[in-house]
């Protein structure tokens, strides 16, 4: 399979991103209930095209990663946080998630970040393995932070220097 093409999102990607987000919803990574119609717009006042990198395979949008600030504080502006990552089912195992993660780190560096962080649910073993393989380390754990489908789940804080 050819390598994914990674680029910044555009306003025209909104519908495809919304569909992808709904299709990849899983209690493995989501703390919000499954989206129901009428669907909220993918872009909003907090996150727009400039906050997303997208992956394409064969011209089809098959993944995205959202890069934001962990807080609105000026003293924290040297840190970026991954605040969403999704890969279409048919593109999993093709290196799309890894390519998006690497591109997000490059983009964060380009935008002046010194560190990059993320939060991942403790039971999301595949994502945790990917992050660890790319140099992220566990920097904290909030035990049983979420109750998801009747199970208490840890919130794992990970990060790395760029």
């Amino acid at each position: 399979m050819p390598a994914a093409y990674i680029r910044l999102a555009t306003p025209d990607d909104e519908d495809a991103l919304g569909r992808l987000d709904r299709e990849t919803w899983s209690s493995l990574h989501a703390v919000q209930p499954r989206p129901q119609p009428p669907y909220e717009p993918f872009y909003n006042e907090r996150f727009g095209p400039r906050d997303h990198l997208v992956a394409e395979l064969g011209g089809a949008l098959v993944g995205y990663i959202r890069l934001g600030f962990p807080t609105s504080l000026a003293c924290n502006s040297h840190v970026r946080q991954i605040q969403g990552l999704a890969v279409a089912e048919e593109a999993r195992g093709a290196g799309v998630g890894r390519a998006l993660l690497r591109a997000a780190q490059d983009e964060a560096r380009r935008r002046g970040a010194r560190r990059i962080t993320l939060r991942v649910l403790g039971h999301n073993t595949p994502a945790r393995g990917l992050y660890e393989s790319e140099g992220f380390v566990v920097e904290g754990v909030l035990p049983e932070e979420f109750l998801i489908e009747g199970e208490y789940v840890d919130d794992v804080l990970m990060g790395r220097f760029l």
Side-chain angles (χ1 to χ4, degrees):
M1 187 174 273
Y5 170 66
I6 310 295
R7 62 173 174 78
L8 273 173
T10 70
D12 292 341
D13 293 321
E14 184 168 22
D15 289 344
L17 285 167
R19 263 191 315 281
L20 177 66
D21 207 44
R22 292 188 297 275
E23 290 168 1
T24 59
W25 184 95
S26 166
S27 61
L28 192 61
H29 62 79
V31 295
Q32 296 289 336
R34 181 183 296 276
Q36 300 296 321
Y39 299 118
E40 296 290 322
F42 185 81
Y43 297 138
N44 56 43
E45 64 283 341
R46 191 166 168 218
F47 297 110
R50 145 175 231 288
D51 304 306
H52 297 85
L53 295 168
V54 298
E56 293 181 342
L57 275 178
L61 195 147
V62 296
Y64 78 84
I65 194 165
R66 179 180 296 140
L67 197 57
F69 290 96
T71 72
S72 59
L73 300 169
C75 61
N76 188 226
S77 65
H78 63 284
V79 180
R80 294 299 183 283
Q81 188 174 60
I82 293 168
Q83 298 180 347
L85 172 62
V87 175
E89 187 69 40
E90 67 273 14
R92 292 189 183 156
V96 173
R98 186 173 306 279
L100 284 164
L101 190 56
R102 289 178 178 174
Q105 292 175 80
D106 290 344
E107 184 66 16
R109 217 178 274 114
R110 191 182 70 70
R111 294 183 187 187
R114 296 189 57 214
R115 276 181 37 80
I116 190 166
T117 63
L118 59 88
R119 296 169 69 169
V120 60
L121 295 176
H123 65 198
N124 193 344
T125 306
R128 290 180 66 180
L130 171 63
Y131 301 142
E132 288 170 3
S133 74
E134 289 295 319
F136 286 79
V137 296
V138 173
E139 296 180 336
V141 176
L142 302 174
E144 298 185 359
E145 186 72 3
F146 299 106
L147 178 61
I148 300 173
E149 296 183 338
E151 300 288 327
Y152 289 100
V153 180
D154 295 348
D155 188 11
V156 180
L157 312 177
M158 300 181 79
R160 65 164 293 169
F161 285 96
L162 297 170

